[in-house]
Amino acid sequence: MTRPDNGNAVPGGRPEGVRVEGRWVGVALLLATATLWSLAGVAVKVAGVEPLAFTAVRSVGAALAMLPLLGFGAKLTGPARPAGRLMWPTAFCYTAMVGAFIVASAVGTAAEAILLQYSAPAWAAVMAWGLFGRRVTRIQLAALACAASGVGVLLFRLWNEVRPDGLLAPALGLLSGVGYAGVIVGLDAVDLDARRRTGGPANVAAVVLWNNAVAAAVLLPWAALRGELSLPPATIAGLLALGVVQMALPYVLFQLGLRRTGPVAAGLILLIEPALNPLWAYLGAGERPPPGSYLGGGLILAAVAITVLAGRRRRLPTG
């Protein structure tokens, strides 16, 4: 990824000569995204499938769902083909994100995995600034500080209560957060690049297909080598359907919301997911969140409120 000239920038590092898209539409799309994503923790618990196989087959379902929608996606969300130089690193970040998160949820608790994954807004802010010269607003800094405090509470509890040989889940949760930040910043860069090249946004269906095809190509052989793919047909069908509902659809909504809010704000708004993920895990699998999750989760949710209520509308290049 290259860092563009940011000489004529507005707050947030976006070029002048822009149009404004509906911010509240973007917020609604991101909240719907978070709700669908939040089903992952309980799904992996209830499915009883090894985490690598779960993630790989689910990614196949998401990729297959996008194949017939490529033409429709071009009409609905934008005709531009995503640039490979940006999509390859984004897709590998996506693979690291989904793989590390599902394994963390399986070996630890859904609450720990999702809350540590949501260190992503801080990583996204650093990446957006370092790679693309994006400035972070004071509101976003306040929200990031609040979110970082919440993650810090969780890490402190884990450091004091978890045995050294039990740090795999939190380590994978943090790795998933770094990967998630790469996805947020990468998808934003893909869309802005398409607008600069063609005057229109990237084809969302093509982006979702690319990410999930790479994830499946990486994870399926790994799961096969571990002997995890000997699954009943009904289980495979269920995982493929889950890929459509819990990955393909929300990632379309995510990209439509991202282009209306920007990477840092989107990452902060999606922090609503940590409140929902352990709730579904409790209702569906009887898994109780650790006590420290309530304080840490409360601080993270406060960061969402700051971003939603005090954020700015995003401006996009017109080409």
Side-chain angles (χ1 to χ4, degrees), residues 18-260:
V18 297
R19 61 186 175 85
V20 176
E21 292 199 356
R23 180 177 179 275
W24 285 105
V25 173
V27 170
L29 290 168
L30 292 171
L31 292 177
T33 297
T35 301
L36 292 170
W37 277 350
S38 68
L39 300 173
V42 66
V44 71
K45 299 285 184 182
V46 173
V49 177
E50 292 295 329
L52 284 177
F54 178 96
T55 309
V57 177
R58 187 184 61 169
S59 293
V60 171
L64 291 176
M66 291 296 102
L67 280 173
L69 297 180
L70 288 175
F72 179 72
K75 296 177 182 178
L76 179 65
T77 65
R81 293 180 58 185
R85 62 185 174 81
L86 296 173
M87 275 307 309
W88 281 113
T90 301
F92 283 113
C93 285
Y94 177 86
T95 302
M97 176 191 73
V98 295
F101 172 73
I102 291 299
V103 175
S105 295
V107 302
T109 69
E112 292 169 346
I114 192 63
L115 288 168
L116 288 170
Q117 185 191 51
Y118 272 88
S119 60
W123 303 118
V126 172
M127 291 179 186
W129 171 75
L131 294 173
F132 301 106
R134 302 280 179 83
R135 283 179 264 163
V136 181
T137 68
R138 291 180 181 179
I139 293 296
Q140 290 172 342
L141 284 174
L144 286 168
C146 196
S149 299
V151 173
V153 169
L154 294 170
L155 289 175
F156 179 79
R157 188 198 68 78
L158 290 168
W159 182 262
N160 284 276
E161 297 181 18
V162 179
R163 302 187 310 274
D165 61 351
L167 292 176
L168 176 61
L172 288 171
L174 285 174
L175 173 62
S176 182
V178 175
Y180 182 21
V183 171
I184 294 173
V185 174
L187 292 180
D188 188 58
V190 166
D191 196 62
L192 291 178
D193 173 75
R195 290 174 184 273
R196 292 187 179 103
R197 287 188 292 110
T198 69
N203 185 330
V204 170
V207 173
V208 176
L209 171 60
W210 196 316
N211 279 335
N212 283 282
V214 170
V218 171
L219 298 176
L220 274 175
W222 192 359
L225 288 173
R226 292 172 57 89
E228 296 181 3
L229 293 181
S230 299
L231 302 172
T235 300
I236 294 175
L239 292 177
L240 292 173
L242 187 67
V244 177
V245 175
Q246 200 262 322
M247 294 301 286
L249 174 60
Y251 265 98
V252 170
L253 300 178
F254 170 51
Q255 289 176 87
L256 296 176
L258 174 64
R259 64 178 54 159
R260 290 167 169 81

